Amino acid sequence: MVVTVLGFDLSLCLHHFSHRPQIPYRSISRKPTTTMKFHLTVCLLLASQAVAFSSSPSFVGNGRASASSKTHLDGAVQDGDTPDTLPDFKDVDDYLQYMSTVSAMPKGFATGTASGTFISTEAPGLGKLPIKGTVIHLTEGPTDNWAAVFTSNRFPGAPVKVGRKRLANGNPLQALVINNKVSNVCSGGDGEADAELVCQSVADALGLDSADSVLPSSTGVIGWKLPAKELAADVVPQAIQNLQSESVLDAAKAIMTTDRFPKVRSRTLSNGARVVGIAKGAGMIEPNMATMLAYILTDATVPKADLQRLLRAAVDESFNAMSVDGDESTSDTAVLVASNQISEDVDMAEFESALFDICKGLAADIVRNGEGTSHVMRVAITNFPGEMKQARYLGRHIVNSPLFKCAVAGNDPNTGRLAGAIGSHMGKVYP
């Protein structure tokens, strides 16, 4: 089908999920259910509620990939690394077994997780509720080489405020602490003090010089006070007792909230350094980085300025180019930390490629994992008569259009709704 709409190109490919959300990847159909080409070109990968969009048609893969095929600049994947497109899995156990083979920790890091309980002061009738804490420790000492980007939401969570201060002050980093269940946003109390109390408990348990070298993150319910005392007294000490340097998989599991499965992506560079990322997120997903969290660890030695520049660029092309429900979280955080344990010179082009691949892979995993997801859309726009930022706004408008999302959810290739969404946006931006 060919339709002429305005003067740029947009192509549309539809894929759908089977209704088996408990199996992370098997459910993607192998071929498009429908392919449409427009003379306006967006490629939408449909697989129902969630949508991903990107300026690149390779944002979300849909083919079978070898689990052990080698990754350098040529895109090949080494044993122990994740390919751009993950292989099929017969069930959750199969998926988790595979994740255990690609989750090896970079040198100089250890992670520990623990569970605890608390009673919400806002909803005490719920009784004791579970909460998990995760500690990421730089075992060989603090590093100056770390970078972060945070949500641009005007109501950021207390951990985001603390993190911004750490980054602006140039504090070295030696640990990160993450809790789920409560986001420490609009808590009605001193959320920053609560976050700092948890950071201090990490510093005390690890024998660090200052809590300023600990970066906090929280995700979960908005409007509840963080159970900082329970975290500091019970969960953090146990998580630190559980520190191990083998795999990031337990950390990927512990940071989940409504996620259906843990998300891990990894690459090994030609000098032996590893780049490994984990992320959580399923709802309130439309990041606009200056309830999505991402942590990328590497043992390569990369200067702080390069890390910040590359992370911001990678986030812009991955996490900032996706949407599940159109709502920007108050807690979005992406952190990139280098332990500097591989002293050999790093090929910066190779490192950049690995970082971008990991961020795009994690972003795709988040969208597939979206709350209520049965379809995913991939949008690629070319020949747009404006800047990249404006083209991205068009992509957001398309994938967040309720009428078009309904058509996609019903597997109805309704080109009129697509054309209407495009025309509506362009009429407002270019009246």
Side-chain angles (χ1 to χ4, degrees):
M1 181 183 300
V2 177
V3 179
T4 299
V5 189
L6 304 177
F8 50 98
D9 297 328
L10 185 152
S11 67
L12 172 62
C13 304
L14 310 185
H15 295 244
H16 68 278
F17 285 122
S18 67
H19 295 284
R20 301 184 66 185
Q22 72 276 17
I23 300 178
Y25 287 95
R26 184 184 180 190
S27 53
I28 294 184
S29 62
R30 289 298 145 226
K31 294 182 179 180
T33 58
T34 307
T35 299
M36 310 175 207
K37 289 190 179 294
F38 301 85
H39 194 68
L40 165 149
T41 285
V42 173
C43 180
L44 304 174
L45 175 62
L46 292 178
S48 140
Q49 169 75 354
V51 288
F53 55 89
S54 169
S55 59
S56 167
S58 62
F59 181 63
V60 180
N62 70 317
R64 173 96 186 168
S66 168
S68 59
S69 47
K70 282 186 181 211
T71 296
H72 299 316
L73 274 179
D74 59 2
V77 177
Q78 296 192 43
D79 291 346
D81 292 347
T82 52
D84 291 340
T85 303
L86 299 185
D88 292 339
F89 305 100
K90 63 183 180 181
D91 54 32
V92 172
D93 289 339
D94 189 29
Y95 173 77
L96 293 176
Q97 173 59 34
Y98 172 80
M99 284 288 107
S100 70
T101 69
V102 297
S103 302
M105 199 97 64
K107 296 177 181 178
F109 291 97
T111 64
T113 67
S115 299
T117 61
F118 72 103
I119 295 178
S120 167
T121 57
E122 294 79 11
L126 295 176
K128 289 186 177 181
L129 298 172
I131 190 168
K132 290 183 178 180
T134 301
V135 173
I136 303 175
H137 180 215
L138 284 94
T139 59
E140 304 307 311
T143 180
D144 291 316
N145 296 335
W146 68 280
V149 287
F150 301 99
T151 183
S152 60
N153 192 300
R154 291 301 182 93
F155 287 98
V160 169
K161 295 177 182 178
V162 173
R164 286 174 176 167
K165 291 177 182 177
R166 302 272 201 268
L167 187 65
N169 293 336
N171 296 102
L173 193 66
Q174 194 166 359
L176 299 88
V177 59
I178 308 111
N179 71 270
N180 70 355
K181 198 63 177 183
V182 178
S183 67
N184 196 7
V185 179
C186 301
S187 63
D190 192 340
E192 290 187 57
D194 288 338
E196 291 285 13
L197 175 62
V198 177
C199 290
Q200 187 63 57
S201 71
V202 173
D204 291 343
L206 291 174
L208 308 184
D209 292 338
S210 170
D212 290 343
S213 64
V214 182
L215 187 71
S217 294
S218 298
T219 180
V221 178
I222 292 175
W224 284 12
K225 181 177 174 60
L226 184 73
K229 292 182 180 179
E230 291 88 339
L231 286 167
D234 302 324
V235 178
V236 164
Q238 186 60 50
I240 290 174
Q241 285 187 20
N242 294 338
L243 284 171
Q244 51 82 34
S245 299
E246 300 300 318
S247 172
V248 297
L249 184 55
D250 284 346
K253 294 176 183 178
I255 64 176
M256 297 193 305
T257 49
T258 58
D259 306 63
R260 294 195 298 265
F261 55 88
K263 290 159 279 294
V264 179
R265 294 284 175 148
S266 59
R267 287 287 192 271
T268 302
L269 307 183
S270 56
N271 69 347
R274 279 183 63 73
V275 186
V276 180
I278 62 174
K280 64 81 53 184
M284 207 172 184
I285 300 294
E286 185 174 281
N288 184 18
M289 300 285 193
T291 299
M292 188 220 79
L293 304 178
Y295 306 94
I296 304 166
L297 314 177
T298 182
D299 45 18
T301 301
V302 183
K304 183 181 184 71
D306 289 333
L307 291 177
Q308 189 66 50
R309 172 180 58 82
L310 292 174
L311 179 62
R312 187 169 296 280
V315 163
D316 198 45
E317 290 195 13
S318 57
F319 301 121
N320 283 357
M322 68 177 180
S323 178
V324 168
D325 45 31
D327 284 322
E328 180 182 318
S329 170
T330 55
S331 304
D332 292 332
T333 299
V335 184
L336 172 58
V337 186
S339 66
N340 313 309
Q341 295 305 296
I342 302 295
S343 58
E344 295 180 30
D345 290 342
V346 63
D347 182 329
M348 289 305 297
E350 183 186 22
F351 179 82
E352 179 178 0
S353 176
L355 177 62
F356 275 58
D357 287 346
I358 285 172
C359 288
K360 288 182 178 181
L362 290 173
D365 294 342
I366 288 171
V367 172
R368 290 191 191 95
N369 184 74
E371 293 174 351
T373 302
S374 62
H375 292 71
V376 172
M377 290 186 278
R378 182 204 291 162
V379 179
I381 300 172
T382 59
N383 299 327
F384 186 83
E387 298 177 356
M388 174 69 75
K389 184 176 182 180
Q390 296 167 323
R392 180 163 291 160
Y393 286 152
L394 172 61
R396 289 184 186 275
H397 186 78
I398 291 170
V399 300
N400 288 329
S401 165
L403 282 176
F404 187 58
K405 290 172 77 171
C406 286
V408 169
N411 297 316
D412 176 16
N414 192 320
T415 58
R417 291 187 177 185
L418 176 59
I422 294 167
S424 170
H425 178 80
M426 296 301 289
K428 295 173 184 176
V429 177
Y430 297 98

